[in-house]
């Protein structure tokens, strides 16, 4: 009896376990592929978070209707999703898309033109908390209802050390998942690993294990997965800048000190100064030209924002003359710094164009910069230095620093004029105009000599510019000698070429070689391309065809017709009957 009871109990347990396996199925979701395809197909390829949020809302509506998981008609009745509710994999989709909808709504508020205000920022943080809530629920449900792959792909972030652990764990998981499955799944996993690396670096920076600059963190990654991290980074950097901006009370420029009272102006100027440190403190080879140009664009944006805030303050200053004078001086100083940085940016463009120009001279097969492009860039630099010099010297009373800066701008303008003249001479040389090129090379050399003489003063210490001008003088001397020699050779060679051309002139037309068409040479093999030495395309047949003699029909003269006597037919003709009147009047 005991053994029978134990056997029956074992059978009951087996039946229960089988029923539990049937009741609690394990669902599988390829979370990465699902989200990646949905984000790229519905707006996030172009950072359109509004479109993606609307897609998530429509997707949730369709899922709830198909699952009959609506919240009542008329009166809203909330229906929670828990472990017992999930009988279909689509319930997990509902939780996932709710998290995506809340996250995309927060990102949409963050991308407002003027930035989120205080109320919108509170709402944004609320939507992010809601996204974290749904993501946490999704991770919990996947751990219970999902298979191992699905539970591994559901990740969460609560604190910096925990986030670092989870990010590293997620990276390890995706590296392992990238070694199995089809090719598309492996590519997606590798892309996710690359997107997780900047997040890991940021967590290491926050924990204190990695010391890197915030500007490097902002440029460390791209993609939809980086948007939340970039939002945190920008908020963190803005908070630090706001704290540092409280200490920025004055803007110093060429011996003048201007008070900065507007908080927005302080933050913009502080942001521009931090970006300037990245350019000034880095070596010549540590930053690529593209990276420098990107930093210059950010500097220009910051200074333009500062000027906009200053001019708004000027519009609301009223009749306070002292405040207006201070704001006008600050606007002039910021504009001067902006002009100086514009000259530096254009010099970077000139350096890039020169490298391509020199490379094209060495490697003829590669497309390089034309001299006209360098002439255009130097035109911009001449205009920039002229505007900056006029701006600095526009004040009533100029201090020695302003005078020295104005003279420096004039000297730079003279240098740019000499270089512009040099490349303009290069352009004429390539066009074969030797006399114009020689005159321009000589003029460029005289301008460079004048600039060198101005630099040879006790107060000037710009050795780099001095070496550059001396190299320009040497290049002008060499190029002018080459143009002079080439012009003389061409002038000596011109009469010989002319006499050779005149001797070859003939008054009679040259006899044309009779052309044979392909139709006439059907018995001889010849390529349809024709004679390789001939530039004329081969002809199949003459068109229009020539006239040919055609035999005409013979002319027949019927001379026997007049000699034939035909019989009379009057007896066969019908006679007409005449009436009484016709008989009388015949």
């Amino acid at each position: 009896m005991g053994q029978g009871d134990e056997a029956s109990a074992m059978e009951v347990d087996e039946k229960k376990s089988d029923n539990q396996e049937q009741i609690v199925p394990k669902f599988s979701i390829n979370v990465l592929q699902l989200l990646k395809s949905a984000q790229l197909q519905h707006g996030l390829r172009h950072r359109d978070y509004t479109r993606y949020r609307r897609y998530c809302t429509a997707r949730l509506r369709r899922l709830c209707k198909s699952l009959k998981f609506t919240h009542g008609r008329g009166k809203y009745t909330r229906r929670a999703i828990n472990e017992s509710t999930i009988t279909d994999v689509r319930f997990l989709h509902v939780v996932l898309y709710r998290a995506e909808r809340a996250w995309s709504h927060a990102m949409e508020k963050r991308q407002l033109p003027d930035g989120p205000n205080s109320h919108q920022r509170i709402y944004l943080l609320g939507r992010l908390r809601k996204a974290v809530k749904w993501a946490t629920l999704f991770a919990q449900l996947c751990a219970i209802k999902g298979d191992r792959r699905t539970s591994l792909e559901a990740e969460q972030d609560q604190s910096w050390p925990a986030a670092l652990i989870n990010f590293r764990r997620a990276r390890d998981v995706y590296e392992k998942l990238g070694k199995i499955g089809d090719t598309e799944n492996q590519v997606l996993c590798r892309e996710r690993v690359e997107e997780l690396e900047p997040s890991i670096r940021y967590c290491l920076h926050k924990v204190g294990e990695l010391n890197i600059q915030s500007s490097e963190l902002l440029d460390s990654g791209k993609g939809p997965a980086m948007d939340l991290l970039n939002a945190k980074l920008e908020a963190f950097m803005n908070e630090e800048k706001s704290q540092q901006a409280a200490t920025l009370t004055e803007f110093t420029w060429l011996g003048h000190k201007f008070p900065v009272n507007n908080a927005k102006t302080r933050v913009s100027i502080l942001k521009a100064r931090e970006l300037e440190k990245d350019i000034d403190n880095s070596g010549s080879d540590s930053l690529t030209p593209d990276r420098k140009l990107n930093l210059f664009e950010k500097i220009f944006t910051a200074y333009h924002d500062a000027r906009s805030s200053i001019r708004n303050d000027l519009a609301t200053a009223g009749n306070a003359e002292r405040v207006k004078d201070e704001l006008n001086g600050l606007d002039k100083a910021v504009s001067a710094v902006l002009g100086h940085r514009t000259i530096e940016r254009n010099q970077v463009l000139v350096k890039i164009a020169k490298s391509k120009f020199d490379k094209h001279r060495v490697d003829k097969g590669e497309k390089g910069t034309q001299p006209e492009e360098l002439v255009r860039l130097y035109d911009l630099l001449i205009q920039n230095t002229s505007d900056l010099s006029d701006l600095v010297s526009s004040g009533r009373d100029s201090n020695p620093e302003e005078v020295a800066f104005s003279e420096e701008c004039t000297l730079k303008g003279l240098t740019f004029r000499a270089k512009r003249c040099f490349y303009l001479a290069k352009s004429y040389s390539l066009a074969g105009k030797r006399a114009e090129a020689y005159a321009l090379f000589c003029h460029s050399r005289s301008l460079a000599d004048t600039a060198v003489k101005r630099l040879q003063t006790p107060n000037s210490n710009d050795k780099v510019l001095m070496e550059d001008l001396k190299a320009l003088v040497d290049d002008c001397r060499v190029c002018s000698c080459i143009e002079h020699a080439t012009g003389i050779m061409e002038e000596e060679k011109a009469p010989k070429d002319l006499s050779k051309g005149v001797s070859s002139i003939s008054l009679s037309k040259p006899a044309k070689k009779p052309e044979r068409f392909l139709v006439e040479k059907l018995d001889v093999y010849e390529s349809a391309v024709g004679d390789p030495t001939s530039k004329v395309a081969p002809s199949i047949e003459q068109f229009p065809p020539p006239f040919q003699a055609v035999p005409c029909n013979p002319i027949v003269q019927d001379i026997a017709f007049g000699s034939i006597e035909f019989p009379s037919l009057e007896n066969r003709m019908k006679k007409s009957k005449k009436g009484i009147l016709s008989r009388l009047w015949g």
Side-chain angles (χ1 to χ4, degrees), residues 23 25 27 67 82-91 145:
I23 294 173
F27 301 111
L67 291 169
N82 49 33
E83 180 184 351
S84 60
T85 309
I86 300 176
T87 56
D88 194 323
V89 70
R90 289 174 292 178
F91 282 101
K145 292 288 187 176

Side-chain angles (χ1 to χ4, degrees), residues 26-29 31 142-154 169 173 177:
K26 295 293 184 180
F27 301 111
S28 178
I29 304 175
V31 182
C142 286
I144 300 172
K145 292 288 187 176
D147 57 1
R148 291 185 178 180
R149 180 189 181 94
T150 305
S151 61
L152 283 173
E153 288 195 44
R169 179 172 173 268
V173 169
L177 291 176

Side-chain angles (χ1 to χ4, degrees), residues 44 93 125 175 180 208 230 233 392 403 441 467 544 583:
L44 289 198
H93 285 207
L125 294 175
E175 286 177 351
I180 59 176
N230 288 335
L233 279 170
V392 173
V403 174
F441 278 129
E467 292 177 359
R583 288 177 183 176

Side-chain angles (χ1 to χ4, degrees), residues 279-291:
I279 294 178
D280 297 335
N281 296 337
S282 61
S284 58
D285 299 331
S286 60
L287 289 178
T288 61
D290 293 335
R291 171 69 176 152

Side-chain angles (χ1 to χ4, degrees), residues 144-387:
I144 300 172
K145 292 288 187 176
D147 57 1
R148 291 185 178 180
R149 180 189 181 94
T150 305
S151 61
L152 283 173
E153 288 195 44
E155 57 188 53
Q156 55 183 337
D157 178 10
Q158 294 177 354
S159 61
W160 297 117
L164 179 60
I165 294 172
N166 288 328
F167 275 130
R168 284 176 170 173
R169 179 172 173 268
R171 180 186 61 184
D172 296 338
V173 169
Y174 280 121
E175 286 177 351
K176 293 178 181 178
L177 291 176
K179 298 177 182 178
I180 59 176
D182 54 359
T183 306
E184 182 180 0
N185 179 71
Q186 293 179 9
V187 171
L188 288 173
C189 289
R190 283 196 294 269
E191 289 179 355
R192 179 63 73 177
V193 169
E194 293 176 358
E195 291 177 357
L196 286 174
E197 287 297 333
S199 302
I200 293 173
R201 294 182 65 202
Y202 180 64
C203 292
L204 287 171
H205 173 66
K206 293 297 292 185
V207 171
E209 297 181 13
L210 184 65
N211 186 16
I212 54 177
Q213 295 182 1
S214 300
S215 58
E216 296 179 2
L217 286 169
L218 282 174
D219 296 331
S220 56
K222 297 180 180 178
M226 288 299 301
D227 293 324
L228 182 58
L229 175 62
N230 288 335
K232 294 179 181 178
L233 279 170
E234 289 184 2
F236 169 70
M237 292 176 64
N238 289 332
E239 183 180 354
E240 284 190 347
K241 288 173 185 175
S242 299
Q243 294 175 358
Q244 294 177 5
T247 61
L248 180 66
T249 58
E250 290 180 342
F251 185 80
T252 305
W253 174 75
L254 295 181
H256 296 284
K257 293 183 179 181
F258 304 100
V260 184
N261 299 320
N262 193 333
K264 290 185 178 179
T265 309
R266 292 176 182 174
V267 172
S268 299
I269 293 175
L270 189 63
K271 181 180 179 181
R273 285 184 173 179
E274 288 183 356
L275 294 169
E276 287 173 345
K277 288 179 182 178
D278 294 340
I279 294 178
D280 297 335
N281 296 337
S282 61
S284 58
D285 299 331
S286 60
L287 289 178
T288 61
D290 293 335
R291 171 69 176 152
K292 281 186 179 180
L293 294 177
N294 188 19
L295 287 175
F296 275 120
E297 292 299 327
K298 292 180 180 179
I299 290 171
F300 297 157
T301 303
Y303 277 127
H304 280 302
D305 292 341
R307 290 181 62 190
S308 178
S309 301
I310 293 169
R311 292 178 181 181
N312 289 335
D313 293 340
L314 271 172
T316 59
N319 296 325
E321 294 296 333
R322 186 181 62 82
V323 176
K324 282 187 175 181
D325 290 340
E326 292 175 352
L327 290 174
N328 284 323
L330 182 60
D331 183 38
K332 176 182 174 181
V334 172
S335 301
V337 175
L338 182 60
H340 183 64
R341 292 299 178 181
T342 304
I343 292 174
E344 291 182 355
R345 191 274 309 270
N346 290 339
Q347 285 179 320
V348 173
L349 293 176
V350 167
K351 186 178 180 181
I352 297 172
K354 276 185 179 180
S355 63
K356 292 182 179 179
F357 179 74
D358 296 335
K359 191 174 183 180
H360 176 61
R361 292 171 62 189
V362 175
D363 188 3
K364 298 293 183 181
E366 222 177 292
K367 185 178 179 182
T369 304
Q370 297 297 325
E372 292 82 2
E373 179 66 19
L374 284 162
V375 171
R376 186 187 66 82
L377 290 174
Y378 278 116
D379 280 332
L380 289 176
L381 283 169
I382 293 169
Q383 185 64 40
N384 295 146
T385 52
S386 177
D387 294 342

